[in-house]
Amino acid sequence: KSDFSLKIQDYFQTKNKLKNFYIVSEYFESMTLAEFLEKEKNKNRLFIKEDIIWKIFIQLCLALYNIHSNNIILRNINSSPVLLNSQFDVQIRNFKNTFLLAL
């Protein structure tokens, strides 16, 4: 269990031909890391405070460590699936391109 990835509330798979798999996660009021960076850029700020950068970086590393230690591989990590709330707490969403390693 990690405090840095969205908690799964439920999941289900459709029985149609495509067999889509859906995950229902907790609600997390936030913006994406991409939106945050764009917002800072539009404020004409040249730098983001170092403590904010470290907080985001460390939480992101812990989230990825937790995901990988559960034998899950994320194929598409960028700033879009990384969510930040107003206190810069990180959550990862969008496990669309994810693989589960069978050991």
Side-chain angles (χ1 to χ4, degrees):
K1 179 182 174 194
S2 169
D3 293 332
F4 309 115
S5 56
L6 290 177
K7 312 306 179 275
I8 295 174
Q9 303 296 329
D10 197 7
Y11 59 91
F12 58 93
Q13 185 173 8
T14 60
K15 305 224 186 273
N16 63 13
K17 199 177 192 180
L18 296 175
K19 295 195 177 192
N20 294 328
F21 188 77
Y22 294 93
I23 297 175
V24 180
S25 66
E26 68 180 329
Y27 176 73
F28 186 71
E29 189 170 335
S30 61
M31 70 177 99
T32 67
L33 180 57
E35 292 168 338
F36 169 71
L37 295 173
E38 187 64 31
K39 186 175 153 185
E40 292 298 302
K41 180 180 164 187
N42 291 338
K43 290 180 183 176
N44 291 324
R45 292 193 178 154
L46 297 176
F47 302 101
I48 298 172
K49 290 183 182 179
E50 185 178 353
D51 59 329
I52 294 171
I53 294 170
W54 277 111
K55 183 175 182 175
I56 293 169
F57 176 73
I58 290 169
Q59 290 181 67
L60 189 55
C61 289
L62 290 170
L64 291 173
Y65 174 79
N66 181 266
I67 290 166
H68 291 167
S69 66
N70 284 294
N71 298 321
I72 298 170
I73 298 175
L74 296 173
R75 290 187 55 199
N76 187 21
I77 273 290
N78 57 49
S79 58
S80 296
V82 177
L83 302 176
L84 298 174
N85 67 11
S86 59
Q87 287 78 40
F88 305 106
D89 295 323
V90 169
Q91 297 281 312
I92 296 180
R93 67 168 182 180
N94 192 357
F95 290 82
K96 185 191 282 186
N97 294 319
T98 302
F99 291 95
L100 182 60
L101 293 178
L103 299 177

